[in-house]
């Protein structure tokens, strides 16, 4: 642990559930909220002790909607983190909903050391926000960016394209609106709708998976076709590139010096600890996770049970896929030295299989996705798994 770790803290609470979301979330008014935050602090202390109080190089507080936490809750979280870890991060990110920021909350996050706010704008169109089931209004995002700037934070804007009924002009306007706010970083994701049951649905009252599945099937029917979605992705590449943003990862663009250091740790297959419901960890070459259900998570912490080891993880395949997501690509000699000749041979076979489609480009010792390869990355990735 001498090089330090990335630390991810999961705060699942949301004012309402976005019907497309696959993350472990729960109602902000949940009766379990107090118990969850206490269990989260207990897990932080326990993990810090077990790992020998490692240096935290990057900290990311995600969700859910961490910006919903009240200032005293943020202060309690900060106390637990400082007591358990050598907390000297180069970057601290917190996720926020545009409608949940105020001066007191921003001051509490600044006291924790936050340097970067990741704002779930998703769309600047009222129609788009309704189509996505979002509860904030288009004007909330500009106000949130201004508040974050006043607090001294860098800003990332999350955007979603391919929502039901969206036209290419709608997406161009979303990009123009985002660029008008001059964010330091932008993340653009196509709307992807899982149609298999989720464990996290158990955290929410109401109709359960059937209601969610019905919404997703209806949304799927209204989505633009793949050709249009591909055109939207290329439009993001053009507009963000012309505005000076580096396309450093498949779905992420940054101004010079403003890449997400925490997420780079994931893509570079470094070590990180995840605490909270549904959080994943990668330590000493082992991948593990916590349960997504709040009640199961609370039971795990109360019993002192370990995280569930992912025995089916394919370390070499995942490392290759993660590296190829980046514009720096996969360093073949370094990969071979780490994973051996058999894993390297699998990469070579994948390169040969997709060569006719021109999805990959080899320059010296490095393999990178081409522009076409970024659109069809899954065709490459599936060939890298054992």
């Amino acid at each position: 642990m001498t090089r330090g770790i990335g630390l991810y803290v999961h705060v699942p609470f949301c004012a309402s559930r976005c019907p497309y979301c696959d993350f472990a979330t729960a109602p902000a008014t949940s009766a379990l909220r107090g118990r969850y935050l206490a269990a989260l602090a207990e897990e932080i202390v326990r993990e810090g002790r077990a790992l020998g109080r490692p240096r935290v190089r990057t900290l990311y507080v995600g969700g859910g909607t961490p910006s919903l936490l009240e200032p005293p809750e943020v202060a309690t979280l900060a106390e637990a983190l400082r007591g358990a870890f050598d907390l000297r991060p180069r970057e601290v990110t917190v996720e926020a909903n545009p409608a949940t920021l105020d001066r007191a909350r921003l001051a509490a996050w600044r006291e924790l050391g936050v340097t970067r706010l990741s704002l779930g704008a998703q769309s600047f169109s009222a129609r788009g926000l309704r189509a996505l089931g979002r509860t904030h209004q288009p004007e909330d995002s500009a106000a949130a960016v201004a508040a974050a700037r006043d607090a001294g934070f860098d800003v990332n804007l999350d955007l979603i394209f391919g929502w039901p009924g969206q036209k290419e002009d709608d997406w161009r306007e979303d990009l123009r609106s985002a660029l008008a706010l001059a964010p330091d970083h932008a993340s653009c994701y196509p709307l992807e709708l899982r149609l298999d049951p989720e464990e996290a649905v158990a955290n929410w009252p109401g109709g359960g998976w059937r209601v969610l599945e019905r919404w997703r099937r209806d949304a799927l029917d209204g989505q633009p076709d793949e050709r249009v979605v591909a055109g939207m992705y290329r439009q993001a590449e053009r507009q963000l590139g012309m505005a000076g943003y580096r396309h450093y990862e498949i779905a992420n663009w940054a101004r010079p010096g403003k890449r997400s250091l925490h997420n780079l740790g994931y893509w570079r297959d470094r070590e990180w600890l995840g605490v909270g419901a549904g959080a994943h960890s990668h330590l000493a070459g082992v991948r593990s996770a916590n349960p997504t259900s709040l009640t199961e998570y609370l039971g795990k912490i109360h019993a002192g049970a370990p995280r569930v080891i992912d025995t089916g993880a394919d370390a070499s395949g995942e490392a290759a896929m993660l590296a190829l997501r980046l514009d720096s690509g996969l360093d073949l000699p370094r990969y071979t030295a780490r994973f051996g000749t058999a894993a390297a041979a699998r990469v070579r076979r994948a390169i040969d299989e997709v060569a006719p489609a021109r999805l990959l480009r080899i320059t010296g010792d490095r393999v990178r996705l081409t522009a076409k390869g970024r659109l069809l990355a899954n065709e490459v990735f599936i060939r890298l798994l054992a």
Side-chain angles (χ1 to χ4, degrees), residues 126-192:
R127 186 165 54 86
L129 293 174
R130 285 195 301 272
L132 291 167
R134 301 287 291 182
T135 56
H136 71 273
Q137 300 303 311
E139 60 271 18
D140 293 334
S141 292
V145 169
R149 294 288 193 210
D150 287 345
F153 299 157
D154 286 346
V155 176
N156 169 64
L157 288 179
D158 271 357
L159 299 173
I160 291 177
F161 61 96
W163 40 262
Q166 187 182 28
K167 308 297 183 187
E168 291 181 90
D169 283 347
D170 297 324
W171 177 233
R172 276 191 283 270
E173 187 57 39
D174 267 352
L175 290 168
R176 279 195 290 268
S177 297
L179 287 170
L181 298 177
D184 303 281
H185 188 284
S187 303
C188 301
Y189 303 105
L191 179 62
E192 296 180 352

Side-chain angles (χ1 to χ4, degrees), residues 4-22:
I5 61 171
L7 177 60
Y8 174 81
V9 179
H10 191 69
V11 178
F13 305 110
C14 289
S16 64
R17 167 151 191 159
C18 297
Y20 58 85
C21 178
D22 291 332

Side-chain angles (χ1 to χ4, degrees), residues 7-13 24-26 30 32-48 62 77 80-81 85 199-200 202-203 273-281 288-308:
L7 177 60
Y8 174 81
V9 179
H10 191 69
V11 178
F13 305 110
T25 62
S30 170
L32 298 177
R33 178 166 167 159
R35 289 177 58 196
Y36 177 86
L37 293 174
L40 180 62
E42 183 179 341
E43 185 185 15
I44 288 168
V45 170
R46 184 183 302 165
E47 293 293 346
L77 175 62
L81 290 168
F85 299 99
E199 294 177 26
N203 296 330
L273 168 69
V275 294
H280 290 248
S281 299
S288 59
N290 282 333
T292 56
S293 161
L294 261 60
T295 54
E296 288 182 33
Y297 171 75
L298 293 172
K300 167 197 171 296
I301 299 301
H302 179 71
R307 293 183 300 275
V308 177

Side-chain angles (χ1 to χ4, degrees), residues 316-331:
S316 61
E318 290 176 10
M321 290 190 298
L322 290 166
L324 285 171
R325 292 189 67 90
L326 293 168
D327 65 347
S328 53
L330 176 64
D331 183 319

Side-chain angles (χ1 to χ4, degrees), residues 246-250 259 264 267-269 318-335 347 351 359-370 374 380-381 384:
R246 173 179 168 182
H247 191 185
Y248 74 99
E249 194 272 343
I250 286 179
R259 293 179 299 173
L264 278 170
W267 297 317
R268 289 173 175 166
D269 205 34
E318 290 176 10
M321 290 190 298
L322 290 166
L324 285 171
R325 292 189 67 90
L326 293 168
D327 65 347
S328 53
L330 176 64
D331 183 319
L332 284 171
R334 183 176 295 178
Y335 181 81
V347 172
I351 293 171
L359 304 184
L360 293 170
R361 180 179 71 256
I362 302 176
T363 308
D365 291 330
R366 286 192 178 268
V367 185
R368 295 177 173 87
L369 291 172
T370 62
R374 287 193 293 270
V380 178
F381 295 164
L384 294 169

